[in-house]
């Protein structure tokens, strides 16, 4: 409870500084920076599994969808070069502004969501995408949905290189969903016969009857941190997975204290089955070990902590 009060106070402090800038300071003090890191644990460095670079906006063959995010927000187009035989290039629009945005708070309160999908592309999403790239045959001719996708790197990768039948890339934040659609539009040339679409999907609120019992595979990354969403997330997984034939949900995310354990308790109580794997990809494990051991200067991840940074693989079945 005490930690909850501290986090709440820090959040309000961040909001207050956004609304009432201090004239005596050009930026947050050391304690404020520490508070921001404690709340979000945003990573400045990931596992560096998929090379990326900033690029000019790609030329589109259609009218692009303009996101509804704040007009003061800046954005970038990032090109991810997949480490596959054809070096497929995926283009993702992302927000790059770091200041608190009052519109973001309003939308979070209105929809009962968080805005972590707008903050950055998180390390677990990159690991999920890389893992999916190593399991191409798993997705062939399957219906796939990504939950809480953020900018949608993993879903776009699956749609581009696995010959999946259908890929739905979903999030509960309407701002994020607008970006997902833009990113789908920017990569249409890669999808071949795969049907790809964005979807607004809130685990606690949405009526799922139209898409229930519909997906062979669910993928998600870093979606178990907020405990208040555990029950809704588990019920969403149970509802979406196909009842006929094999189906599964693939989750990648760090333990983050007892958050993952409590999510798995909810999974068990719902009657679903699960396995947890710590070593699921040799390259990911090797880089994790290098971060733990120190490694050379180029491979260091400042403040790397296994509990908060290394994603475990959870596979859930009916």
């Amino acid at each position: 409870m005490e930690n909850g009060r501290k986090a709440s106070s820090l959040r309000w402090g961040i909001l207050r500084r956004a609304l009432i800038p201090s004239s005596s300071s050009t930026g947050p003090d050391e304690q404020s920076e520490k508070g921001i890191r404690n709340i979000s644990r945003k990573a400045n460095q990931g596992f560096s599994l998929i090379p990326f670079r900033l690029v000019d906006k790609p030329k589109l063959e259609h009218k692009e969808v303009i996101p509804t995010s704040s007009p003061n927000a800046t954005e970038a187009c990032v090109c991810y070069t997949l480490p596959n035989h054809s070096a497929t290039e995926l283009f993702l629009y992302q927000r790059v502004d770091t200041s608190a945005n009052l519109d973001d708070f309003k939308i979070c309160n209105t929809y009962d969501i968080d805005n972590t999908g707008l903050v950055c592309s998180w390390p677990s999403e990159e690991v999920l995408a890389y893992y999916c790239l190593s399991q191409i045959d798993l997705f062939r001719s399957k219906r796939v949905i990504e939950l809480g996708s953020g900018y949608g790197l993993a879903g776009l990768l699956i749609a581009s290189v696995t010959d999946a039948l259908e890929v739905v890339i979903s999030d509960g934040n309407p701002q994020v969903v607008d970006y997902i659609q833009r990113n789908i539009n920017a990569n249409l040339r890669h999808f071949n016969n795969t049907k790809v679409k964005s979807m607004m999907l809130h685990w606690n609120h949405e009526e799922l009857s139209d898409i229930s019992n519909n997906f062979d595979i669910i993928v998600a990354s870093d979606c178990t941190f907020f405990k208040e969403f555990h029950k809704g997330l588990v019920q969403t997984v149970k509802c979406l997975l196909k009842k006929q034939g094999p189906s599964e949900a693939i989750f990648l995310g760090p333990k983050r204290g007892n958050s993952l354990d409590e999510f798995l308790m909810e999974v068990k109580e719902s009657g679903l089955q699960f396995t947890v794997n710590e070593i699921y990809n040799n390259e990911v494990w090797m880089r994790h070990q290098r971060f733990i051991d120190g490694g050379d200067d180029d491979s260091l991840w400042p403040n790397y902590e296994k509990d908060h940074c290394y994603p475990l693989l959870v596979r859930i079945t009916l």
Side-chain angles (χ1 to χ4, degrees), residues 56-62 93 185-186 189:
D56 293 333
K57 296 180 181 180
K59 184 178 180 180
L60 305 178
E61 298 177 356
H62 47 79
Y93 290 97
N185 292 346
R189 65 190 179 281

Side-chain angles (χ1 to χ4, degrees), residues 15 67 92 94 136 145 152 199 227 237 264 266-267 281 306:
L15 177 58
L92 275 70
Q94 300 180 15
I136 287 179
I145 184 169
M199 176 177 287
K227 298 177 183 179
V237 169
L264 294 176
E266 191 70 45
V267 170
N281 181 278
K306 180 179 180 180

